[in-house]
Short mmCIF file of all heavy atoms in Angstrom, two decimals:
data_model
loop_
_atom_site.label_atom_id
_atom_site.label_comp_id
_atom_site.label_asym_id
_atom_site.label_seq_id
_atom_site.Cartn_x
_atom_site.Cartn_y
_atom_site.Cartn_z
N TYR A 33 0.79 44.36 -1.63
CA TYR A 33 -0.34 44.29 -2.59
C TYR A 33 0.11 44.66 -4.01
O TYR A 33 -0.63 44.40 -4.94
CB TYR A 33 -1.54 45.16 -2.10
CG TYR A 33 -1.35 46.65 -2.29
CD1 TYR A 33 -1.92 47.29 -3.30
CD2 TYR A 33 -0.53 47.34 -1.39
CE1 TYR A 33 -1.74 48.68 -3.49
CE2 TYR A 33 -0.38 48.70 -1.50
CZ TYR A 33 -0.94 49.38 -2.62
OH TYR A 33 -0.77 50.72 -2.74
N ILE A 34 1.27 45.26 -4.11
CA ILE A 34 1.91 45.46 -5.43
C ILE A 34 3.09 44.48 -5.40
O ILE A 34 4.09 44.79 -4.74
CB ILE A 34 2.36 46.89 -5.68
CG1 ILE A 34 1.16 47.87 -5.56
CG2 ILE A 34 3.05 47.05 -7.05
CD1 ILE A 34 1.57 49.31 -5.45
N LEU A 37 6.81 45.44 -5.23
CA LEU A 37 7.34 46.24 -4.05
C LEU A 37 7.89 45.33 -2.96
O LEU A 37 8.66 45.72 -2.11
CB LEU A 37 6.23 47.13 -3.46
CG LEU A 37 5.79 48.34 -4.29
CD1 LEU A 37 4.82 49.17 -3.50
CD2 LEU A 37 6.98 49.25 -4.70
N SER A 67 11.10 53.22 -4.73
CA SER A 67 9.84 53.54 -5.40
C SER A 67 9.11 54.65 -4.54
O SER A 67 8.67 54.36 -3.43
CB SER A 67 8.98 52.24 -5.44
OG SER A 67 7.87 52.48 -6.28
N ILE A 68 8.92 55.80 -5.20
CA ILE A 68 8.34 56.88 -4.38
C ILE A 68 6.84 56.80 -4.27
O ILE A 68 6.20 57.49 -3.47
CB ILE A 68 8.79 58.29 -4.84
CG1 ILE A 68 8.19 58.67 -6.22
CG2 ILE A 68 10.32 58.38 -4.84
CD1 ILE A 68 8.29 60.15 -6.53
N GLN A 69 6.22 55.98 -5.13
CA GLN A 69 4.76 55.75 -5.10
C GLN A 69 3.96 57.01 -4.91
O GLN A 69 4.13 57.94 -5.74
CB GLN A 69 4.47 54.71 -3.98
CG GLN A 69 4.95 53.30 -4.32
CD GLN A 69 4.19 52.76 -5.45
OE1 GLN A 69 2.95 52.85 -5.54
NE2 GLN A 69 4.89 52.10 -6.45
N SER A 70 3.11 57.15 -3.91
CA SER A 70 2.16 58.28 -3.89
C SER A 70 2.82 59.64 -3.64
O SER A 70 2.17 60.64 -3.77
CB SER A 70 1.15 58.03 -2.73
OG SER A 70 0.20 57.14 -3.17
N ILE A 71 4.09 59.66 -3.27
CA ILE A 71 4.75 60.98 -3.15
C ILE A 71 4.70 61.70 -4.49
O ILE A 71 4.57 62.92 -4.58
CB ILE A 71 6.22 60.84 -2.65
CG1 ILE A 71 6.20 60.15 -1.24
CG2 ILE A 71 6.96 62.17 -2.62
CD1 ILE A 71 7.61 59.81 -0.70
N SER A 72 4.70 60.87 -5.59
CA SER A 72 4.68 61.45 -6.94
C SER A 72 3.39 62.22 -7.19
O SER A 72 3.35 63.03 -8.17
CB SER A 72 4.82 60.33 -7.95
OG SER A 72 3.69 59.44 -7.83
N LYS A 73 2.35 61.97 -6.41
CA LYS A 73 1.08 62.71 -6.64
C LYS A 73 1.26 64.22 -6.50
O LYS A 73 0.52 65.02 -7.06
CB LYS A 73 -0.01 62.19 -5.65
CG LYS A 73 -0.49 60.82 -5.95
CD LYS A 73 -1.39 60.25 -4.79
CE LYS A 73 -1.81 58.81 -5.06
NZ LYS A 73 -2.40 58.20 -3.87
N PRO A 100 -8.78 55.64 3.97
CA PRO A 100 -7.52 55.18 3.31
C PRO A 100 -7.33 55.71 1.90
O PRO A 100 -8.31 56.11 1.29
CB PRO A 100 -7.71 53.64 3.35
CG PRO A 100 -8.72 53.38 4.40
CD PRO A 100 -9.63 54.54 4.43
N PHE A 101 -6.07 55.63 1.43
CA PHE A 101 -5.78 56.26 0.16
C PHE A 101 -6.56 55.68 -1.04
O PHE A 101 -6.80 56.38 -2.01
CB PHE A 101 -4.24 56.14 -0.16
CG PHE A 101 -3.72 54.73 -0.26
CD1 PHE A 101 -3.78 54.01 -1.42
CD2 PHE A 101 -3.20 54.10 0.88
CE1 PHE A 101 -3.27 52.70 -1.53
CE2 PHE A 101 -2.73 52.79 0.82
CZ PHE A 101 -2.77 52.10 -0.40
N ASN A 102 -7.01 54.43 -0.92
CA ASN A 102 -7.65 53.79 -2.08
C ASN A 102 -9.15 53.55 -1.84
O ASN A 102 -9.77 52.71 -2.48
CB ASN A 102 -6.92 52.52 -2.40
CG ASN A 102 -6.87 51.54 -1.26
OD1 ASN A 102 -7.41 51.89 -0.21
ND2 ASN A 102 -6.32 50.37 -1.44
N LEU A 118 -4.56 64.03 -3.39
CA LEU A 118 -3.52 63.17 -2.89
C LEU A 118 -4.01 61.74 -2.58
O LEU A 118 -3.25 60.89 -2.25
CB LEU A 118 -2.82 63.81 -1.70
CG LEU A 118 -2.15 65.14 -2.05
CD1 LEU A 118 -1.50 65.75 -0.82
CD2 LEU A 118 -1.19 65.06 -3.16
N ILE A 119 -5.34 61.54 -2.66
CA ILE A 119 -5.83 60.15 -2.60
C ILE A 119 -5.84 59.61 -4.02
O ILE A 119 -5.73 60.40 -4.97
CB ILE A 119 -7.25 60.07 -1.92
CG1 ILE A 119 -8.21 61.11 -2.55
CG2 ILE A 119 -7.18 60.25 -0.45
CD1 ILE A 119 -9.63 61.03 -2.08
N ASN A 120 -5.99 58.33 -4.18
CA ASN A 120 -5.87 57.74 -5.54
C ASN A 120 -6.83 58.36 -6.59
O ASN A 120 -6.44 58.71 -7.68
CB ASN A 120 -6.03 56.21 -5.49
CG ASN A 120 -4.86 55.54 -4.82
OD1 ASN A 120 -4.02 56.19 -4.20
ND2 ASN A 120 -4.71 54.25 -5.02
N LEU A 124 -5.82 60.33 -9.97
CA LEU A 124 -6.21 59.83 -11.26
C LEU A 124 -6.89 60.96 -12.09
O LEU A 124 -6.63 61.08 -13.26
CB LEU A 124 -7.21 58.67 -11.06
CG LEU A 124 -6.47 57.38 -10.61
CD1 LEU A 124 -7.43 56.42 -9.93
CD2 LEU A 124 -5.80 56.68 -11.78
N VAL A 160 7.89 47.79 -11.74
CA VAL A 160 6.88 48.19 -10.74
C VAL A 160 5.60 48.66 -11.45
O VAL A 160 4.48 48.31 -11.11
CB VAL A 160 7.44 49.31 -9.84
CG1 VAL A 160 6.35 49.94 -8.93
CG2 VAL A 160 8.56 48.81 -8.97
N GLU A 164 1.89 46.89 -11.01
CA GLU A 164 0.68 47.61 -10.57
C GLU A 164 -0.41 47.49 -11.60
O GLU A 164 -1.59 47.37 -11.25
CB GLU A 164 0.98 49.12 -10.40
CG GLU A 164 1.68 49.40 -9.09
CD GLU A 164 1.21 50.77 -8.58
OE1 GLU A 164 0.06 50.95 -8.22
OE2 GLU A 164 2.07 51.63 -8.54
N HIS A 167 -2.30 44.39 -11.10
CA HIS A 167 -3.03 44.16 -9.85
C HIS A 167 -3.87 45.37 -9.49
O HIS A 167 -4.31 45.44 -8.34
CB HIS A 167 -2.04 43.80 -8.75
CG HIS A 167 -1.32 42.52 -8.96
ND1 HIS A 167 -0.21 42.43 -9.72
CD2 HIS A 167 -1.64 41.26 -8.60
CE1 HIS A 167 0.16 41.16 -9.79
NE2 HIS A 167 -0.68 40.43 -9.10
N GLY A 168 -4.07 46.30 -10.37
CA GLY A 168 -4.69 47.56 -10.04
C GLY A 168 -6.21 47.57 -10.17
O GLY A 168 -6.76 48.55 -10.68
N LYS A 170 -8.62 48.04 -8.10
CA LYS A 170 -9.35 49.11 -7.38
C LYS A 170 -9.13 50.46 -8.10
O LYS A 170 -10.06 51.24 -8.17
CB LYS A 170 -8.83 49.18 -5.97
CG LYS A 170 -9.94 49.48 -5.04
CD LYS A 170 -9.64 49.13 -3.62
CE LYS A 170 -10.80 49.57 -2.78
NZ LYS A 170 -10.48 49.54 -1.37
N ASN A 171 -7.95 50.67 -8.55
CA ASN A 171 -7.69 51.94 -9.27
C ASN A 171 -8.53 52.01 -10.55
O ASN A 171 -9.08 53.03 -10.91
CB ASN A 171 -6.19 52.06 -9.62
CG ASN A 171 -5.34 52.45 -8.39
OD1 ASN A 171 -5.83 53.24 -7.57
ND2 ASN A 171 -4.22 51.81 -8.25
N TYR A 195 -0.99 57.08 -14.54
CA TYR A 195 -1.01 56.98 -13.04
C TYR A 195 0.06 55.89 -12.57
O TYR A 195 0.82 56.19 -11.64
CB TYR A 195 -2.38 56.61 -12.56
CG TYR A 195 -2.46 56.34 -11.07
CD1 TYR A 195 -2.58 57.43 -10.21
CD2 TYR A 195 -2.40 55.07 -10.54
CE1 TYR A 195 -2.62 57.21 -8.81
CE2 TYR A 195 -2.50 54.85 -9.20
CZ TYR A 195 -2.58 55.89 -8.29
OH TYR A 195 -2.62 55.67 -6.98
N TYR A 196 0.13 54.75 -13.23
CA TYR A 196 1.06 53.71 -12.82
C TYR A 196 2.49 54.12 -13.15
O TYR A 196 3.43 53.78 -12.37
CB TYR A 196 0.69 52.42 -13.45
CG TYR A 196 -0.60 51.80 -12.92
CD1 TYR A 196 -1.50 51.17 -13.78
CD2 TYR A 196 -0.90 51.87 -11.56
CE1 TYR A 196 -2.69 50.67 -13.31
CE2 TYR A 196 -2.03 51.37 -11.08
CZ TYR A 196 -3.00 50.80 -11.98
OH TYR A 196 -4.20 50.29 -11.43
N MET A 198 3.54 57.24 -13.08
CA MET A 198 3.81 58.23 -12.00
C MET A 198 4.17 57.50 -10.69
O MET A 198 5.22 57.87 -10.09
CB MET A 198 2.53 59.08 -11.86
CG MET A 198 2.53 60.00 -10.68
SD MET A 198 0.78 60.43 -10.18
CE MET A 198 0.43 59.07 -9.07
N CYS A 199 3.39 56.51 -10.28
CA CYS A 199 3.67 55.81 -9.06
C CYS A 199 5.02 55.10 -9.07
O CYS A 199 5.63 54.83 -8.04
CB CYS A 199 2.61 54.84 -8.73
SG CYS A 199 1.05 55.51 -8.26
N SER A 200 5.47 54.68 -10.28
CA SER A 200 6.68 53.86 -10.36
C SER A 200 7.98 54.70 -10.35
O SER A 200 9.07 54.11 -10.46
CB SER A 200 6.61 52.97 -11.62
OG SER A 200 7.02 53.70 -12.74
N GLY A 245 -1.84 64.67 3.07
CA GLY A 245 -0.72 63.88 2.66
C GLY A 245 -0.55 62.50 3.27
O GLY A 245 0.15 61.63 2.73
N TYR A 247 -3.40 60.68 4.29
CA TYR A 247 -4.73 60.06 4.26
C TYR A 247 -5.40 60.15 5.64
O TYR A 247 -5.47 61.15 6.24
CB TYR A 247 -4.62 58.63 3.73
CG TYR A 247 -3.62 58.48 2.62
CD1 TYR A 247 -2.42 57.82 2.79
CD2 TYR A 247 -3.86 59.09 1.41
CE1 TYR A 247 -1.49 57.74 1.76
CE2 TYR A 247 -2.93 59.01 0.36
CZ TYR A 247 -1.72 58.36 0.57
OH TYR A 247 -0.85 58.27 -0.44
N LYS A 262 4.39 64.26 2.87
CA LYS A 262 3.74 63.31 1.98
C LYS A 262 4.42 61.95 2.07
O LYS A 262 5.63 61.83 2.07
CB LYS A 262 3.79 63.80 0.52
CG LYS A 262 3.07 62.94 -0.44
CD LYS A 262 1.54 63.06 -0.37
CE LYS A 262 0.80 61.89 -0.94
NZ LYS A 262 0.65 60.72 0.01
N SER A 263 3.58 60.87 2.15
CA SER A 263 4.09 59.55 2.25
C SER A 263 3.81 58.72 0.96
O SER A 263 2.98 59.10 0.17
CB SER A 263 3.46 58.84 3.41
OG SER A 263 2.09 58.66 3.13
N GLY A 264 4.50 57.59 0.88
CA GLY A 264 4.19 56.62 -0.22
C GLY A 264 4.33 55.23 0.30
O GLY A 264 5.08 55.02 1.26
N VAL A 265 3.63 54.27 -0.28
CA VAL A 265 3.71 52.88 0.20
C VAL A 265 5.10 52.20 -0.04
O VAL A 265 5.33 51.11 0.45
CB VAL A 265 2.60 51.92 -0.30
CG1 VAL A 265 1.24 52.29 0.36
CG2 VAL A 265 2.52 51.97 -1.81
N GLY A 266 5.98 52.91 -0.75
CA GLY A 266 7.34 52.43 -0.89
C GLY A 266 8.13 52.68 0.38
O GLY A 266 9.34 52.27 0.48
N GLY A 267 7.56 53.39 1.34
CA GLY A 267 8.25 53.62 2.63
C GLY A 267 8.93 54.99 2.66
O GLY A 267 9.66 55.30 3.65
N GLY A 268 8.68 55.85 1.72
CA GLY A 268 9.27 57.15 1.71
C GLY A 268 8.34 58.20 2.35
O GLY A 268 7.08 58.03 2.30
N LEU A 286 5.89 49.54 6.93
CA LEU A 286 4.83 50.48 7.04
C LEU A 286 3.98 50.17 8.26
O LEU A 286 3.85 49.00 8.64
CB LEU A 286 3.92 50.38 5.81
CG LEU A 286 4.60 50.50 4.42
CD1 LEU A 286 3.60 50.36 3.33
CD2 LEU A 286 5.35 51.78 4.28
N ASN A 289 -1.65 52.09 8.55
CA ASN A 289 -2.21 53.05 7.60
C ASN A 289 -1.40 53.20 6.35
O ASN A 289 -1.69 54.05 5.51
CB ASN A 289 -2.41 54.41 8.26
CG ASN A 289 -3.39 54.36 9.43
OD1 ASN A 289 -4.46 53.81 9.29
ND2 ASN A 289 -2.96 54.93 10.54
N GLY A 290 -0.32 52.42 6.18
CA GLY A 290 0.41 52.43 4.96
C GLY A 290 1.50 53.52 4.95
O GLY A 290 1.98 53.90 3.86
N ASN A 291 1.91 53.97 6.13
CA ASN A 291 2.92 55.06 6.16
C ASN A 291 4.15 54.46 6.89
O ASN A 291 4.03 53.63 7.81
CB ASN A 291 2.40 56.23 6.94
CG ASN A 291 1.18 56.85 6.22
OD1 ASN A 291 1.18 57.00 5.06
ND2 ASN A 291 0.10 57.09 6.98
N1 LIG B 1 0.56 52.92 -6.41
C1 LIG B 1 -0.15 52.89 -5.15
C2 LIG B 1 -1.60 52.65 -5.42
O1 LIG B 1 -2.17 53.15 -6.35
C3 LIG B 1 0.13 54.18 -4.43
C4 LIG B 1 -0.39 54.09 -3.00
C5 LIG B 1 0.44 54.89 -1.98
O2 LIG B 1 1.63 55.13 -2.09
N2 LIG B 1 -0.24 55.25 -0.89
O3 LIG B 1 -2.23 51.89 -4.70
#
Side-chain angles (χ1 to χ4, degrees):
Y33 74 102
I34 302 167
L37 289 185
S67 189
I68 70 164
Q69 289 294 317
S70 282
I71 298 173
S72 62
K73 291 170 180 167
F101 60 88
N102 57 0
L118 301 179
I119 48 175
N120 288 16
L124 286 158
V160 172
E164 280 214 67
H167 295 85
K170 216 161 178 194
N171 286 318
Y195 175 81
Y196 293 138
M198 171 202 88
C199 291
S200 80
Y247 321 110
K262 183 74 200 85
S263 67
V265 289
L286 310 178
N289 296 312
N291 300 314

